[in-house]
Every structure is written in structure tokens, then in C-alpha cells.
Amino acid sequence: MKKLLKTLPVLLIVMFLTSCSSVKVAADYDKDANFDNFKTFAFFKTGIDKAEISDLDKRRILRAVETELLAQGYTKSENPDLLVSIFTKSRERVNVYNNGFGSYGYGWGWNPWYWNNFNNTSVTTRTEGTLYIDLIDAKKKELVWQGMGTGLLSSRSVEKKEAKINEFVSKIMEKYPPILGE
């Protein structure tokens, strides 16, 4: 029992940290599009240039998208069936934790253990980012699929940043191609 009580807090912390680091994904698509007709892709430079992130992160995202599409059997082409575009959004998340006891007393009447206005307030901020991956029918110039991933970002080492970007893209691209009727 004592061993369980010692390991329980560690397990709870690990569960909390892993739940916070996950990427939430969603996808939308044109139900009239025939995704079996798409075999080739290229990047839509005009759309990508508008993404408000560093050129280094753009290249990381595009490499990850390319890797995912190649793994699905697509071919990069000068005359593509699909155009790939990206855009991003970010916002600061502010969390305020108030672990104060306020004016709670211990016992009744005057008591030396009476706590008065004992407050423990902390404020943390984190950046939450959203990555959108758009797939556009190159012939019709219409959006046929959009994947979105949202998760917490931080200024980490280059390796960790690249791993986070790969995680975002991989999780988003799991939704492509859509399973019709889902």
C-alpha cells in the first residue's frame, strides 16, 4: 500500500504531462471529391508564403508533409493533382491557479493555528499553436481537404522543435485520405 501511495503521484504527473503535450486534430473535406484520382502533389508557394512563421519552420513543416504524402504513395510533380498549402495561428494561453485558503479558520474562536488570507496564486502562460494543412484540387483550384492540429508549443532545442512539428504533421495526415461517410 505504501509503495502504491509513493508511485501514484509520479503516475499522475506523467499522465498530466503526456495529456498536455498531445496534439488535437480534426479534418474536413469535400464529400464530392474523388480522392482516388489524386496521385501527385506540389506545394502551393503563394499560400505557403503567407504563413506567419519562420522560414526554418516552414521548411520543417513542408518536409514533414512531403514525407507523409510520399509514404502514402503520392509522387511530387511539376503538373500535380493536388496543391499543398499551410497556414498557422498561435495564441497565448494564460492559466491562473489560486490555491489560497482565504480566511478559513481551524477550530472555533481565537486559535493560534488560524490562517488568515493565506494565498498561493500562480500565473503561467503557454503558446498554443494551430497548424492547418490544405489540399487543393489543382485543376479546379478548390479546397478538397483541410487538416488541423492544435497543441502547445515552446521554444525548445532544434531537435525537439523538429520532433514536435513531425508529430503535428503526422497526426494531421493520419486523417488523410478521408474515409468517406465518417
Side-chain angles (χ1 to χ4, degrees):
M1 183 67 158
K2 286 183 180 183
K3 189 173 185 175
L4 177 65
L5 290 175
K6 287 181 182 179
T7 59
L8 188 59
V10 174
L11 291 173
L12 290 174
I13 290 170
V14 169
M15 285 175 41
F16 175 75
L17 290 175
T18 57
S19 69
C20 289
S21 66
S22 67
V23 178
K24 296 177 186 126
V25 297
D28 194 9
Y29 63 93
D30 179 354
K31 66 178 180 157
D32 295 328
N34 186 350
F35 292 93
D36 292 333
N37 291 338
F38 302 127
K39 306 286 183 215
T40 60
F41 73 96
F43 293 108
F44 185 55
K45 185 174 175 8
T46 306
I48 293 167
D49 287 343
K50 293 178 184 176
E52 295 180 4
I53 55 174
S54 76
D55 287 344
L56 292 170
D57 285 340
K58 282 180 191 177
R59 284 196 301 265
R60 289 179 181 115
I61 292 168
L62 297 179
R63 277 195 303 265
V65 170
E66 183 174 337
T67 299
E68 292 293 326
L69 288 172
L70 292 173
Q72 289 187 25
Y74 286 82
T75 308
K76 199 169 180 183
S77 171
E78 294 291 324
N79 187 20
D81 302 320
L82 284 175
L83 295 171
V84 179
S85 187
I86 61 166
F87 68 97
T88 60
K89 289 184 183 178
S90 66
R91 68 183 180 112
E92 290 295 315
R93 258 178 73 179
V94 178
N95 297 312
V96 179
Y97 301 100
N98 187 357
N99 298 326
F101 293 102
S103 296
Y104 296 113
Y106 186 84
W108 58 274
W110 183 89
N111 195 318
W113 295 284
Y114 183 80
W115 295 306
N116 190 13
N117 293 326
F118 176 79
N119 286 316
N120 185 11
T121 302
S122 65
V123 178
T124 61
T125 59
R126 289 183 163 179
T127 303
E128 182 177 75
T130 304
L131 170 64
Y132 294 86
I133 300 174
D134 292 343
L135 299 181
I136 303 161
D137 184 321
K139 292 179 182 92
K140 296 179 182 178
K141 302 291 189 236
E142 293 178 353
L143 181 66
V144 292
W145 184 86
Q146 182 178 65
M148 176 189 79
T150 302
L152 295 177
L153 306 174
S154 65
S155 56
R156 302 175 182 199
S157 68
V158 172
E159 292 80 17
K160 288 184 179 181
K161 183 185 268 192
E162 192 159 344
K164 189 68 169 179
I165 287 172
N166 288 338
E167 177 189 5
F168 262 72
V169 172
S170 175
K171 295 242 184 224
I172 294 168
M173 294 305 292
E174 284 176 0
K175 300 280 187 182
Y176 183 82
I179 298 171
L180 301 179
E182 217 178 64

